[in-house]
Amino acid sequence: MAQVETVAEPRVELPVELFKGMVEPDWCPGCGDFGVLRALQGATAKLGIQPKDVLVVSGIGCSSNLPGFFNAYGFHSIHGRAIAVATGAALGNHGLHVVVTGGDGDGYGIGVGHFIHAMRRNLNLTYLVMDNQIYGLTTGQASPTTEIGHKTKSTPNGNIEMPLNPLALALVSGATFVARAFSGEAKHMTDVIAQAIQHKGFSLVDVFSPCVTYNKINSYAWFKERVYKLEEGEYEKTDFHGALQKAYEWGAQIPLGVVYQIDRPTYEDGDLALKQGPLAKLPLGLTAEQGAELIREFM
Amino acid sequence: MAQEVTVGVGGAAGDGIDKTGDTFARAYARLGLHMYAYNSYQSVIRGGHIWLRIRAAEEKVYSPGDQLNAMIALNQDTIDQHAAEVNEHGVIIYNGDKLHVDESVFKPGVRAVPIPIKDLMKTVADRYGVRLDTVMQNTVLLGALIWLLQLDLETLNKMYEEIFARKGQAVISQNVDLALAGYEYAKANHPAMDYRWTYSRKSRPVLTGNETIGIGALMAGCRFYSAYPMTPASSLLHFMASHAAEYGVCVKQAEDELAVVNMAIGAGHVGVRAMCGTSGGGYALMTEAIGMAGMAEVPVVILEVQRGGPSTGLPTKTEQGDLNQVFGASQGEYPRMIVAPADLVDTYNTTVEAFQMAEKYQLPVTIISDLLLSEHNETADPEAFDFNVTIDRGELAEPNENGNGEYKRYLVTESGISPRSLPGDAGNMFVGASDEHDERSILISDVYTDPLMRIKMMQKRMRKLEGLLRNLPAPTLHGPADADITFISWGSTQGVIWDAIALLAQEGIKTNNLQIKYLVPFHTDEVATILNSCKLKVLVEQNFTGQLGRHIRAETGISPDATILKYDGEPMEPLYIVNHVKEILNGTSRNGR
Ligand SMILES: Cc1ncc(C[n+]2csc(CCOP(=O)(O)OP(=O)(O)O)c2C)c(N)n1
Ligand code: SF4
Ligand SMILES: [Mg+2]
């Protein structure tokens, strides 16, 4: 598979404060989502993308509140539908940088269908999942990534369902950029998110974003003991089977960084309707003569 | 009296019935005949029995009618099922080599017209030194029909020249010769029926409701259409897909209807005129998002083409059973428009209007159609379509390079309309919100709950409906004002009611029609005034419970005096209404069920 070539574009870095929203985050003190917000702000600032050219779409959950804390266009939609809303927005104006943010429940539970299809379409979306392995907003029920045996409000005797593996699911669904970050590694996460935004095609960043209130197991300390960065060793990110193996590395050693990245035409590249430029910018309506022509098709 | 004929064509799926019917309808629509064709799929029979009825008339007709004057049978099932329905002095045309008729079931004067297909086709095949596909028997049978109905054969030939232009002269000639063979054989062996046509020669298109909706969408500047295949909405997906590249429309088949509607809303959010389409089952999946569009004030057009319910129901049959669902869509209360077009030109106008109102009032618009309206073929006067569409995008905020957070996406105004800004515009950033929010779109849903703001925002949103209602024309009575009976209806049943009104008038029974097009917002005062002036109010609906009747009662406190309801999946026919009216007048029925 082709090695990805990143052509360095000269960019003017913007101040991070430019991306600070009107509202202070109301997450619990210590919530991992603060780190994700800062990393996203750092990445857009570093890349020099103007707030008006960013659209952050989310679903519902603690993590899905992020767009309200970020200065850009946004859409805080309904639970599980962020990717679908973002798909329409990205196709409607492919000149925008569309970033989707949400939780593990939002994206891997109720919205998992859209997640899979967006990846096989290779839509040009950046998806940041604040994976806290719990339903935070609804006060601590099991999520699709909750580990076996974990006692939550909805699994008082311990979770008996096998957790979903987001990275492996992304790989087999055709994602062209699959990465993992950790809220305890701010600079690294900023780098990974910046790469994800720059990637042409669908990029997933699954972020370990601890819920300090409802998940007492997968805490900062728990992750700190286990994570290591792929970039610090020898790693070939274009090898699909190698990436799949990395996706299953869990336990004593858990990898962070870009697990997989390849180049594949995006959905936007293939849709003939998008060739004339962003749909939202095109003139509207047809002439009376065009209308008459449409009718003549049926005569 | 104006001439008219109804032809039935029946056979198995794959027998080429659609093409044969289309060729016939389009050919004689060019001579100025009005057409109304309805295809019913009798899926009870193995192999998928198809029964197409085409009504052709010198004057405008509004329904499939009650007659069956001629029949082309492509298989034995068709003869067995429908031979007894053929009217007196009608004809049954079929392949005499293979099929047989039982004349004992015929009505008086009905004639069997067996055609020796094998011999006739062999003569033509030998002439060209080719083997002819068996579906080409349809052309021979059509030729025989043209003779019997005394229609102009040359018109059919011209049609073949166009249809097969790309396949070359040989194919054209073969078809022309096959039609002639059938025509000549019938002429030599069977006297023609008693028809003398006067052709106005005004050429009209033959199209379906989904096609006129598609044309309306394109004219209104729709640039995004999403759908998941579901009968009877799929033909709009096909129309949009086949016109997507030429007209610059992104047409997206999505993974499910949840995605379909949310994608359309996403496209609407960035300023694209967006539409999606489905049937009742898909609409059920969409409802949560439709409420979101109401809350976040995103323009979007949703088409709901009803089929027989409940559940998977009658997938290829017609019904008007989803009105309650559309009313009940989504939790909470939010502004929306629900509109039910009645005929082809109306579907076009309605679609254009839906896009305009969706953007002007920033809300979801549901167009509710049904299988009959969306899938039947009919002629329409080309000049009835107003193609001078002036796009009105509603109020948009000026981009503001120096904007510094003062833009209020949900500004409280007298009209309730807040000028929209579109992602990419300088300075006017905001986050569309499904949670309750303040004017700046900052959430007030839990941590900062603000009851006064909540009231203000709720009122602002709902106020939009007042302006919208003023933009929509109130319904009026069709037919004599002093009628003894008023039919109350919505959607596709208008057509059959108008045909029934004409039949009843011939018998001296004066009736008229109150057709309700705009269901939400509702012209409560106007409808109440009209209904209070009516003598006997008869509700006509293609469902079990009379859902429009319930809505009218809720809005006006007025109930119908009697109902004519039907829920067998087949469209109403004029006599169905006529006969029920007589029962109602005799006092033998107050409920047409
Ligand atoms: C259709 C629907 N079902 C359920 C809910 C309730 N709900 C809100 S957020 C949520 C789960 C949140 O979990 P996650 O997406 O992981 O986000 P987190 O709060 O953990 O960041 C649920 C079940 C809802 N809002 N909508
Ligand atoms: S409940 Fe958990 S996820 Fe939600 S804000 Fe608090 S720490 Fe974060
Ligand atoms: Mg979670």
Side-chain angles (χ1 to χ4, degrees), chain A residues 18 22-26 50-60 65-93 96 98 110-111 113-118 120-121 123 137 267 271-274 276 278-299, chain B residues 26 30 159 162 203-208 211-212 214-215 218-224 239 243-256 258-260 262-273 288-289 292 296 298 359 382 385 387-389 391 393 401 405 407 421-435 440 442-443 446-448:
Chain A
L18 189 61
M22 283 185 282
V23 181
E24 283 301 320
D26 55 359
Q50 291 292 337
K52 73 172 179 66
D53 296 323
V54 181
L55 177 71
V56 189
V57 182
S58 67
I60 294 293
N65 290 344
L66 187 144
F69 313 136
F70 188 90
N71 182 39
Y73 281 96
F75 198 146
H76 188 174
S77 74
I78 46 178
H79 194 37
R81 309 300 157 218
I83 285 191
V85 171
T87 299
L91 293 175
N93 186 348
L96 297 169
V98 182
I110 192 169
H114 309 313
F115 175 54
I116 291 170
H117 290 280
R120 78 181 174 88
R121 288 177 189 131
L123 286 155
L137 190 72
Y267 187 90
D271 192 326
L272 298 178
L274 306 187
Q276 307 157 50
L279 294 173
K281 303 289 175 202
L282 299 179
L284 281 189
L286 306 180
T287 62
E289 181 40 46
Q290 286 176 299
E293 216 169 279
L294 281 164
I295 286 287
R296 274 197 294 276
E297 284 179 28
F298 298 92
M299 290 173 86
Chain B
R26 280 173 57 193
R30 289 178 173 192
M159 202 70 210
E162 283 179 31
S203 187
R204 293 183 182 86
V206 181
L207 18 64
T208 67
E211 285 160 349
T212 44
I215 293 171
L218 294 178
M219 290 305 296
C222 173
R223 287 203 178 268
F224 188 88
F239 174 90
H243 290 78
E246 189 179 352
Y247 292 93
V249 184
C250 177
V251 176
K252 191 74 214 75
Q253 177 180 335
E255 56 274 23
D256 53 39
L258 300 163
V260 164
N262 282 287
M263 284 181 183
I265 292 168
H269 180 68
V270 298
V272 172
R273 288 202 157 184
E288 187 193 12
M292 167 173 75
V298 180
E359 281 206 330
F385 297 92
F387 290 131
N388 292 303
V389 177
I391 305 287
R393 304 221 52 188
E401 291 293 345
Y407 169 68
S421 101
L422 304 178
D425 286 356
N428 297 338
M429 276 78 74
F430 73 97
V431 179
S434 71
D435 276 70
R440 287 210 165 88
I442 294 169
L443 307 198
D446 32 45
V447 178
Y448 311 105

Side-chain angles (χ1 to χ4, degrees), chain A residues 3-282:
Chain A
Q3 179 73 40
V4 183
E5 294 195 24
T6 353
V7 183
E9 266 180 67
R11 304 235 191 208
V12 187
E13 251 192 69
L14 295 167
V16 183
E17 300 74 57
L18 189 61
F19 296 93
K20 208 167 141 350
M22 283 185 282
V23 181
E24 283 301 320
D26 55 359
W27 290 308
C28 308
C31 173
D33 298 352
F34 283 102
V36 179
L37 174 64
R38 275 195 297 271
L40 178 60
Q41 288 165 331
T44 46
K46 186 167 125 183
L47 295 173
I49 304 169
Q50 291 292 337
K52 73 172 179 66
D53 296 323
V54 181
L55 177 71
V56 189
V57 182
S58 67
I60 294 293
C62 293
S63 42
S64 290
N65 290 344
L66 187 144
F69 313 136
F70 188 90
N71 182 39
Y73 281 96
F75 198 146
H76 188 174
S77 74
I78 46 178
H79 194 37
R81 309 300 157 218
I83 285 191
V85 171
T87 299
L91 293 175
N93 186 348
H94 61 275
L96 297 169
H97 294 271
V98 182
V99 178
V100 188
T101 65
D104 42 324
D106 199 71
Y108 305 149
I110 192 169
V112 72
H114 309 313
F115 175 54
I116 291 170
H117 290 280
M119 290 188 285
R120 78 181 174 88
R121 288 177 189 131
N122 200 27
L123 286 155
N124 196 13
L125 298 176
T126 303
Y127 189 24
L128 310 181
V129 180
M130 287 157 256
D131 187 353
N132 53 15
Q133 300 166 267
I134 200 86
Y135 281 15
L137 190 72
T138 46
T139 72
Q141 301 84 359
S143 96
T145 50
T146 299
E147 287 184 63
I148 289 186
H150 189 158
K151 288 183 180 170
T152 72
K153 278 193 188 160
S154 60
T155 56
N157 301 315
N159 178 33
I160 55 172
E161 290 182 25
M162 165 104 167
L164 176 153
N165 182 329
L167 301 192
L169 179 59
L171 287 166
V172 300
S173 302
T176 52
F177 182 105
V178 180
R180 189 184 272 140
F182 169 41
S183 287
E185 292 282 354
K187 198 191 156 301
H188 176 261
M189 175 156 45
T190 308
D191 280 350
V192 169
I193 292 178
Q195 288 181 61
I197 292 175
Q198 278 181 302
H199 175 75
K200 203 166 147 284
F202 191 94
S203 48
L204 169 72
V205 184
D206 180 74
V207 184
F208 294 138
S209 179
C211 171
V212 294
T213 308
Y214 297 111
N215 186 344
K216 304 290 184 194
I217 295 176
N218 308 99
S219 63
Y220 284 97
W222 191 91
F223 284 111
K224 275 210 178 101
E225 261 171 39
R226 293 168 169 81
V227 296
Y228 75 98
K229 297 187 191 112
L230 286 171
E231 294 84 351
E232 289 172 355
E234 281 283 296
Y235 181 67
E236 177 47 66
K237 65 181 177 182
T238 61
D239 174 21
F240 179 80
H241 294 282
L244 204 53
Q245 245 173 355
K246 276 287 163 218
Y248 278 96
E249 215 174 282
W250 188 266
Q253 289 268 296
I254 303 176
L256 297 181
V258 181
V259 173
Y260 187 61
Q261 185 177 15
I262 55 153
D263 208 5
R264 178 156 72 78
T266 63
Y267 187 90
E268 290 87 335
D269 288 337
D271 192 326
L272 298 178
L274 306 187
K275 297 283 181 227
Q276 307 157 50
L279 294 173
K281 303 289 175 202
L282 299 179

Side-chain angles (χ1 to χ4, degrees), chain B residues 26-140:
Chain B
R26 280 173 57 193
Y28 297 99
R30 289 178 173 192
L31 282 184
L33 297 186
H34 296 266
M35 296 287 164
Y36 192 111
Y38 181 72
N39 212 339
S40 71
Y41 309 80
Q42 312 278 353
S43 27
V44 279
I45 294 171
R46 252 180 307 159
H49 181 62
I50 296 176
W51 178 235
L52 171 68
R53 254 173 51 175
I54 308 171
R55 187 178 180 194
E58 288 173 3
E59 283 180 7
K60 177 77 188 158
V61 289
Y62 300 98
S63 74
D66 297 291
Q67 313 294 315
L68 180 60
N69 310 102
M71 178 165 109
I72 291 180
L74 298 176
N75 63 8
Q76 193 60 44
D77 281 337
T78 303
I79 295 177
D80 297 345
Q81 282 242 319
H82 301 289
E85 292 167 31
V86 177
N87 285 31
E88 288 184 16
H89 307 295
V91 294
I92 298 173
I93 307 165
Y94 58 98
N95 181 347
D97 305 330
K98 287 195 173 154
L99 312 182
H100 50 87
V101 295
D102 168 12
E103 301 203 2
S104 70
V105 304
F106 286 9
K107 286 186 182 151
V110 171
R111 288 180 288 150
V113 181
I115 306 291
I117 291 291
K118 205 170 142 208
D119 286 355
L120 296 181
M121 282 183 74
K122 185 168 186 307
T123 313
V124 175
D126 288 351
R127 196 177 302 153
Y128 293 89
V130 290
R131 289 184 61 184
L132 296 173
D133 194 312
T134 46
V135 296
M136 290 172 90
Q137 68 160 327
N138 297 10
T139 309
V140 181

